[in-house]
Amino acid sequence: MCEPKPAPGARDSGPRRLKPAQLLFEPPEALGDPEHFFDLESIEDPRELLARSTELALAFRAAADRATEFQAVAAAQLADPRRFDRLPAAVIAERAEWSEDYAKKMVEFGRDLLRSSRTVE
């Protein structure tokens, strides 16, 4: 498998040394409480609160980067000229709620990801 690349426009913060926190689903009763967020509101020690909230922020960034990579791969596959049902960038942009220019960049990014994964295999 290839090493994930940052999403287009993402800040390059260098290699991540911390393992992102595990994202756990909120219990259903917590979803109704707007003040409840991964039980952070119950942490009273500021050091512990900073550590846990930092772990969550890193985990969400990693998840967002990964999801963006999957979006790019899907966009590249949908725009593949070898597909009889390929979609133009404008249609991909509309479906993903992107601008057409961003869709074109994501298609290219996805093609790069697909190429690099083929060379590693």
mmCIF file of all heavy atoms in Angstrom, residues 84-116:
data_model
loop_
_atom_site.group_PDB
_atom_site.id
_atom_site.type_symbol
_atom_site.label_atom_id
_atom_site.label_comp_id
_atom_site.label_asym_id
_atom_site.label_seq_id
_atom_site.Cartn_x
_atom_site.Cartn_y
_atom_site.Cartn_z
ATOM 1 N N PHE A 84 -17.265 3.619 -20.011
ATOM 2 C CA PHE A 84 -18.324 4.026 -20.944
ATOM 3 C C PHE A 84 -19.276 5.024 -20.281
ATOM 4 O O PHE A 84 -19.923 5.822 -20.953
ATOM 5 C CB PHE A 84 -19.102 2.805 -21.472
ATOM 6 C CG PHE A 84 -20.074 2.239 -20.484
ATOM 7 C CD1 PHE A 84 -21.403 2.640 -20.479
ATOM 8 C CD2 PHE A 84 -19.668 1.301 -19.536
ATOM 9 C CE1 PHE A 84 -22.296 2.124 -19.565
ATOM 10 C CE2 PHE A 84 -20.559 0.780 -18.620
ATOM 11 C CZ PHE A 84 -21.875 1.185 -18.634
ATOM 12 N N ASP A 85 -19.345 4.991 -18.949
ATOM 13 C CA ASP A 85 -20.253 5.875 -18.214
ATOM 14 C C ASP A 85 -19.504 6.983 -17.462
ATOM 15 O O ASP A 85 -19.975 7.494 -16.467
ATOM 16 C CB ASP A 85 -21.096 5.069 -17.230
ATOM 17 C CG ASP A 85 -20.264 4.339 -16.185
ATOM 18 O OD1 ASP A 85 -19.034 4.189 -16.380
ATOM 19 O OD2 ASP A 85 -20.841 3.907 -15.166
ATOM 20 N N ARG A 86 -18.339 7.353 -17.989
ATOM 21 C CA ARG A 86 -17.532 8.369 -17.305
ATOM 22 C C ARG A 86 -18.323 9.673 -17.164
ATOM 23 O O ARG A 86 -19.234 9.953 -17.948
ATOM 24 C CB ARG A 86 -16.224 8.605 -18.027
ATOM 25 C CG ARG A 86 -16.380 9.325 -19.343
ATOM 26 C CD ARG A 86 -15.024 9.533 -20.002
ATOM 27 N NE ARG A 86 -15.181 10.025 -21.332
ATOM 28 C CZ ARG A 86 -15.291 9.261 -22.417
ATOM 29 N NH1 ARG A 86 -15.245 7.961 -22.314
ATOM 30 N NH2 ARG A 86 -15.451 9.806 -23.603
ATOM 31 N N LEU A 87 -17.941 10.432 -16.162
ATOM 32 C CA LEU A 87 -18.629 11.690 -15.891
ATOM 33 C C LEU A 87 -17.688 12.866 -16.128
ATOM 34 O O LEU A 87 -16.503 12.796 -15.800
ATOM 35 C CB LEU A 87 -19.091 11.725 -14.431
ATOM 36 C CG LEU A 87 -20.103 10.669 -14.011
ATOM 37 C CD1 LEU A 87 -20.402 10.799 -12.518
ATOM 38 C CD2 LEU A 87 -21.373 10.783 -14.823
ATOM 39 N N PRO A 88 -18.204 13.951 -16.661
ATOM 40 C CA PRO A 88 -17.387 15.158 -16.808
ATOM 41 C C PRO A 88 -17.156 15.810 -15.434
ATOM 42 O O PRO A 88 -17.913 15.591 -14.484
ATOM 43 C CB PRO A 88 -18.217 16.057 -17.716
ATOM 44 C CG PRO A 88 -19.600 15.536 -17.658
ATOM 45 C CD PRO A 88 -19.527 14.095 -17.253
ATOM 46 N N ALA A 89 -16.128 16.618 -15.350
ATOM 47 C CA ALA A 89 -15.773 17.277 -14.088
ATOM 48 C C ALA A 89 -16.940 18.081 -13.515
ATOM 49 O O ALA A 89 -17.128 18.120 -12.294
ATOM 50 C CB ALA A 89 -14.556 18.169 -14.282
ATOM 51 N N ALA A 90 -17.726 18.699 -14.378
ATOM 52 C CA ALA A 90 -18.856 19.508 -13.900
ATOM 53 C C ALA A 90 -19.870 18.659 -13.132
ATOM 54 O O ALA A 90 -20.407 19.089 -12.109
ATOM 55 C CB ALA A 90 -19.532 20.211 -15.070
ATOM 56 N N VAL A 91 -20.118 17.450 -13.606
ATOM 57 C CA VAL A 91 -21.082 16.563 -12.942
ATOM 58 C C VAL A 91 -20.501 16.053 -11.618
ATOM 59 O O VAL A 91 -21.195 16.001 -10.596
ATOM 60 C CB VAL A 91 -21.487 15.391 -13.865
ATOM 61 C CG1 VAL A 91 -22.359 14.390 -13.133
ATOM 62 C CG2 VAL A 91 -22.193 15.923 -15.109
ATOM 63 N N ILE A 92 -19.222 15.704 -11.640
ATOM 64 C CA ILE A 92 -18.561 15.261 -10.402
ATOM 65 C C ILE A 92 -18.598 16.395 -9.382
ATOM 66 O O ILE A 92 -18.897 16.180 -8.206
ATOM 67 C CB ILE A 92 -17.115 14.804 -10.687
ATOM 68 C CG1 ILE A 92 -17.126 13.543 -11.561
ATOM 69 C CG2 ILE A 92 -16.359 14.561 -9.387
ATOM 70 C CD1 ILE A 92 -15.769 13.148 -12.102
ATOM 71 N N ALA A 93 -18.312 17.611 -9.834
ATOM 72 C CA ALA A 93 -18.327 18.780 -8.943
ATOM 73 C C ALA A 93 -19.706 18.965 -8.323
ATOM 74 O O ALA A 93 -19.819 19.209 -7.117
ATOM 75 C CB ALA A 93 -17.927 20.030 -9.723
ATOM 76 N N GLU A 94 -20.736 18.839 -9.125
ATOM 77 C CA GLU A 94 -22.098 19.008 -8.620
ATOM 78 C C GLU A 94 -22.431 17.949 -7.567
ATOM 79 O O GLU A 94 -22.971 18.260 -6.514
ATOM 80 C CB GLU A 94 -23.089 18.930 -9.778
ATOM 81 C CG GLU A 94 -24.520 19.166 -9.368
ATOM 82 C CD GLU A 94 -25.482 19.072 -10.544
ATOM 83 O OE1 GLU A 94 -25.059 19.333 -11.689
ATOM 84 O OE2 GLU A 94 -26.640 18.717 -10.310
ATOM 85 N N ARG A 95 -22.073 16.702 -7.843
ATOM 86 C CA ARG A 95 -22.369 15.614 -6.901
ATOM 87 C C ARG A 95 -21.624 15.765 -5.584
ATOM 88 O O ARG A 95 -22.129 15.405 -4.537
ATOM 89 C CB ARG A 95 -22.027 14.265 -7.527
ATOM 90 C CG ARG A 95 -22.986 13.871 -8.606
ATOM 91 C CD ARG A 95 -22.699 12.488 -9.108
ATOM 92 N NE ARG A 95 -23.652 12.149 -10.148
ATOM 93 C CZ ARG A 95 -23.786 10.944 -10.644
ATOM 94 N NH1 ARG A 95 -23.032 9.958 -10.218
ATOM 95 N NH2 ARG A 95 -24.679 10.709 -11.572
ATOM 96 N N ALA A 96 -20.389 16.261 -5.645
ATOM 97 C CA ALA A 96 -19.563 16.386 -4.441
ATOM 98 C C ALA A 96 -19.674 17.769 -3.795
ATOM 99 O O ALA A 96 -19.040 18.023 -2.777
ATOM 100 C CB ALA A 96 -18.105 16.088 -4.773
ATOM 101 N N GLU A 97 -20.461 18.660 -4.426
ATOM 102 C CA GLU A 97 -20.609 20.038 -3.946
ATOM 103 C C GLU A 97 -19.273 20.773 -3.941
ATOM 104 O O GLU A 97 -18.899 21.435 -2.974
ATOM 105 C CB GLU A 97 -21.278 20.069 -2.566
ATOM 106 C CG GLU A 97 -22.674 19.488 -2.598
ATOM 107 C CD GLU A 97 -23.371 19.515 -1.244
ATOM 108 O OE1 GLU A 97 -22.891 20.215 -0.320
ATOM 109 O OE2 GLU A 97 -24.398 18.845 -1.112
ATOM 110 N N TRP A 98 -18.534 20.633 -5.062
ATOM 111 C CA TRP A 98 -17.263 21.302 -5.280
ATOM 112 C C TRP A 98 -17.423 22.279 -6.430
ATOM 113 O O TRP A 98 -18.375 22.200 -7.203
ATOM 114 C CB TRP A 98 -16.177 20.311 -5.700
ATOM 115 C CG TRP A 98 -15.800 19.248 -4.736
ATOM 116 C CD1 TRP A 98 -15.848 19.313 -3.386
ATOM 117 C CD2 TRP A 98 -15.280 17.951 -5.059
ATOM 118 N NE1 TRP A 98 -15.388 18.136 -2.851
ATOM 119 C CE2 TRP A 98 -15.033 17.287 -3.852
ATOM 120 C CE3 TRP A 98 -14.993 17.295 -6.246
ATOM 121 C CZ2 TRP A 98 -14.512 15.990 -3.801
ATOM 122 C CZ3 TRP A 98 -14.479 16.009 -6.196
ATOM 123 C CH2 TRP A 98 -14.239 15.367 -4.985
ATOM 124 N N SER A 99 -16.423 23.135 -6.603
ATOM 125 C CA SER A 99 -16.364 23.929 -7.830
ATOM 126 C C SER A 99 -15.813 23.000 -8.922
ATOM 127 O O SER A 99 -15.175 21.982 -8.618
ATOM 128 C CB SER A 99 -15.438 25.141 -7.657
ATOM 129 O OG SER A 99 -14.092 24.713 -7.560
ATOM 130 N N GLU A 100 -16.026 23.365 -10.153
ATOM 131 C CA GLU A 100 -15.522 22.532 -11.247
ATOM 132 C C GLU A 100 -13.986 22.499 -11.253
ATOM 133 O O GLU A 100 -13.390 21.458 -11.510
ATOM 134 C CB GLU A 100 -16.057 23.029 -12.590
ATOM 135 C CG GLU A 100 -15.750 22.082 -13.719
ATOM 136 C CD GLU A 100 -16.435 22.443 -15.026
ATOM 137 O OE1 GLU A 100 -17.375 23.250 -15.029
ATOM 138 O OE2 GLU A 100 -16.015 21.886 -16.066
ATOM 139 N N ASP A 101 -13.358 23.620 -10.960
ATOM 140 C CA ASP A 101 -11.892 23.652 -10.898
ATOM 141 C C ASP A 101 -11.369 22.709 -9.817
ATOM 142 O O ASP A 101 -10.381 22.005 -10.022
ATOM 143 C CB ASP A 101 -11.372 25.070 -10.636
ATOM 144 C CG ASP A 101 -11.491 25.966 -11.852
ATOM 145 O OD1 ASP A 101 -11.618 25.432 -12.980
ATOM 146 O OD2 ASP A 101 -11.466 27.204 -11.679
ATOM 147 N N TYR A 102 -12.025 22.711 -8.657
ATOM 148 C CA TYR A 102 -11.594 21.823 -7.575
ATOM 149 C C TYR A 102 -11.804 20.364 -7.971
ATOM 150 O O TYR A 102 -10.960 19.515 -7.692
ATOM 151 C CB TYR A 102 -12.350 22.149 -6.284
ATOM 152 C CG TYR A 102 -11.821 21.386 -5.091
ATOM 153 C CD1 TYR A 102 -10.623 21.734 -4.498
ATOM 154 C CD2 TYR A 102 -12.529 20.304 -4.568
ATOM 155 C CE1 TYR A 102 -10.124 21.038 -3.415
ATOM 156 C CE2 TYR A 102 -12.036 19.594 -3.481
ATOM 157 C CZ TYR A 102 -10.846 19.965 -2.905
ATOM 158 O OH TYR A 102 -10.355 19.265 -1.835
ATOM 159 N N ALA A 103 -12.895 20.080 -8.674
ATOM 160 C CA ALA A 103 -13.150 18.714 -9.129
ATOM 161 C C ALA A 103 -12.030 18.248 -10.066
ATOM 162 O O ALA A 103 -11.563 17.103 -9.957
ATOM 163 C CB ALA A 103 -14.507 18.620 -9.827
ATOM 164 N N LYS A 104 -11.588 19.119 -10.950
ATOM 165 C CA LYS A 104 -10.491 18.762 -11.862
ATOM 166 C C LYS A 104 -9.214 18.463 -11.072
ATOM 167 O O LYS A 104 -8.500 17.504 -11.387
ATOM 168 C CB LYS A 104 -10.247 19.891 -12.868
ATOM 169 C CG LYS A 104 -11.355 20.026 -13.892
ATOM 170 C CD LYS A 104 -11.133 21.235 -14.784
ATOM 171 C CE LYS A 104 -12.295 21.428 -15.733
ATOM 172 N NZ LYS A 104 -12.138 22.649 -16.537
ATOM 173 N N LYS A 105 -8.941 19.274 -10.048
ATOM 174 C CA LYS A 105 -7.761 19.031 -9.216
ATOM 175 C C LYS A 105 -7.884 17.713 -8.458
ATOM 176 O O LYS A 105 -6.906 16.976 -8.314
ATOM 177 C CB LYS A 105 -7.559 20.184 -8.232
ATOM 178 C CG LYS A 105 -7.094 21.456 -8.881
ATOM 179 C CD LYS A 105 -6.952 22.575 -7.877
ATOM 180 C CE LYS A 105 -6.569 23.860 -8.600
ATOM 181 N NZ LYS A 105 -6.450 24.983 -7.689
ATOM 182 N N MET A 106 -9.084 17.421 -7.988
ATOM 183 C CA MET A 106 -9.295 16.174 -7.253
ATOM 184 C C MET A 106 -9.161 14.969 -8.183
ATOM 185 O O MET A 106 -8.624 13.930 -7.784
ATOM 186 C CB MET A 106 -10.660 16.179 -6.565
ATOM 187 C CG MET A 106 -10.707 17.114 -5.369
ATOM 188 S SD MET A 106 -9.622 16.595 -4.020
ATOM 189 C CE MET A 106 -10.648 15.350 -3.263
ATOM 190 N N VAL A 107 -9.619 15.087 -9.414
ATOM 191 C CA VAL A 107 -9.453 13.999 -10.380
ATOM 192 C C VAL A 107 -7.970 13.743 -10.599
ATOM 193 O O VAL A 107 -7.514 12.586 -10.586
ATOM 194 C CB VAL A 107 -10.183 14.321 -11.711
ATOM 195 C CG1 VAL A 107 -9.764 13.366 -12.819
ATOM 196 C CG2 VAL A 107 -11.700 14.286 -11.513
ATOM 197 N N GLU A 108 -7.197 14.789 -10.780
ATOM 198 C CA GLU A 108 -5.747 14.624 -10.968
ATOM 199 C C GLU A 108 -5.094 14.013 -9.732
ATOM 200 O O GLU A 108 -4.242 13.141 -9.832
ATOM 201 C CB GLU A 108 -5.078 15.952 -11.296
ATOM 202 C CG GLU A 108 -4.917 16.219 -12.759
ATOM 203 C CD GLU A 108 -4.410 15.036 -13.554
ATOM 204 O OE1 GLU A 108 -3.305 14.513 -13.287
ATOM 205 O OE2 GLU A 108 -5.124 14.606 -14.464
ATOM 206 N N PHE A 109 -5.474 14.502 -8.566
ATOM 207 C CA PHE A 109 -4.940 13.974 -7.318
ATOM 208 C C PHE A 109 -5.280 12.485 -7.191
ATOM 209 O O PHE A 109 -4.427 11.667 -6.840
ATOM 210 C CB PHE A 109 -5.501 14.772 -6.133
ATOM 211 C CG PHE A 109 -5.045 14.295 -4.783
ATOM 212 C CD1 PHE A 109 -3.702 14.113 -4.491
ATOM 213 C CD2 PHE A 109 -5.971 14.045 -3.781
ATOM 214 C CE1 PHE A 109 -3.290 13.692 -3.232
ATOM 215 C CE2 PHE A 109 -5.567 13.622 -2.529
ATOM 216 C CZ PHE A 109 -4.226 13.442 -2.256
ATOM 217 N N GLY A 110 -6.500 12.134 -7.519
ATOM 218 C CA GLY A 110 -6.914 10.730 -7.479
ATOM 219 C C GLY A 110 -6.135 9.884 -8.463
ATOM 220 O O GLY A 110 -5.740 8.749 -8.149
ATOM 221 N N ARG A 111 -5.887 10.414 -9.643
ATOM 222 C CA ARG A 111 -5.076 9.679 -10.627
ATOM 223 C C ARG A 111 -3.664 9.454 -10.102
ATOM 224 O O ARG A 111 -3.097 8.369 -10.275
ATOM 225 C CB ARG A 111 -5.057 10.426 -11.956
ATOM 226 C CG ARG A 111 -6.379 10.341 -12.692
ATOM 227 C CD ARG A 111 -6.360 11.113 -13.993
ATOM 228 N NE ARG A 111 -7.644 10.959 -14.661
ATOM 229 C CZ ARG A 111 -8.156 11.823 -15.514
ATOM 230 N NH1 ARG A 111 -7.482 12.918 -15.836
ATOM 231 N NH2 ARG A 111 -9.331 11.605 -16.068
ATOM 232 N N ASP A 112 -3.101 10.465 -9.464
ATOM 233 C CA ASP A 112 -1.772 10.314 -8.860
ATOM 234 C C ASP A 112 -1.778 9.230 -7.794
ATOM 235 O O ASP A 112 -0.856 8.406 -7.725
ATOM 236 C CB ASP A 112 -1.295 11.628 -8.250
ATOM 237 C CG ASP A 112 -0.955 12.688 -9.282
ATOM 238 O OD1 ASP A 112 -0.788 12.343 -10.481
ATOM 239 O OD2 ASP A 112 -0.867 13.872 -8.893
ATOM 240 N N LEU A 113 -2.799 9.231 -6.949
ATOM 241 C CA LEU A 113 -2.902 8.205 -5.904
ATOM 242 C C LEU A 113 -3.020 6.810 -6.514
ATOM 243 O O LEU A 113 -2.372 5.866 -6.051
ATOM 244 C CB LEU A 113 -4.103 8.484 -4.994
ATOM 245 C CG LEU A 113 -3.990 9.658 -4.044
ATOM 246 C CD1 LEU A 113 -5.331 9.920 -3.351
ATOM 247 C CD2 LEU A 113 -2.905 9.424 -3.014
ATOM 248 N N LEU A 114 -3.844 6.691 -7.548
ATOM 249 C CA LEU A 114 -4.020 5.388 -8.197
ATOM 250 C C LEU A 114 -2.729 4.927 -8.864
ATOM 251 O O LEU A 114 -2.363 3.751 -8.764
ATOM 252 C CB LEU A 114 -5.162 5.455 -9.220
ATOM 253 C CG LEU A 114 -6.563 5.573 -8.615
ATOM 254 C CD1 LEU A 114 -7.586 5.917 -9.701
ATOM 255 C CD2 LEU A 114 -6.940 4.291 -7.895
ATOM 256 N N ARG A 115 -2.036 5.847 -9.526
ATOM 257 C CA ARG A 115 -0.750 5.498 -10.160
ATOM 258 C C ARG A 115 0.269 5.036 -9.134
ATOM 259 O O ARG A 115 0.940 4.031 -9.310
ATOM 260 C CB ARG A 115 -0.189 6.701 -10.931
ATOM 261 C CG ARG A 115 -0.594 6.740 -12.389
ATOM 262 C CD ARG A 115 0.233 7.770 -13.153
ATOM 263 N NE ARG A 115 0.014 9.139 -12.708
ATOM 264 C CZ ARG A 115 -0.958 9.929 -13.157
ATOM 265 N NH1 ARG A 115 -1.803 9.500 -14.066
ATOM 266 N NH2 ARG A 115 -1.076 11.163 -12.702
ATOM 267 N N SER A 116 0.375 5.777 -8.046
ATOM 268 C CA SER A 116 1.374 5.438 -7.035
ATOM 269 C C SER A 116 1.021 4.127 -6.335
ATOM 270 O O SER A 116 1.921 3.374 -5.960
ATOM 271 C CB SER A 116 1.558 6.562 -6.027
ATOM 272 O OG SER A 116 0.387 6.746 -5.276
#
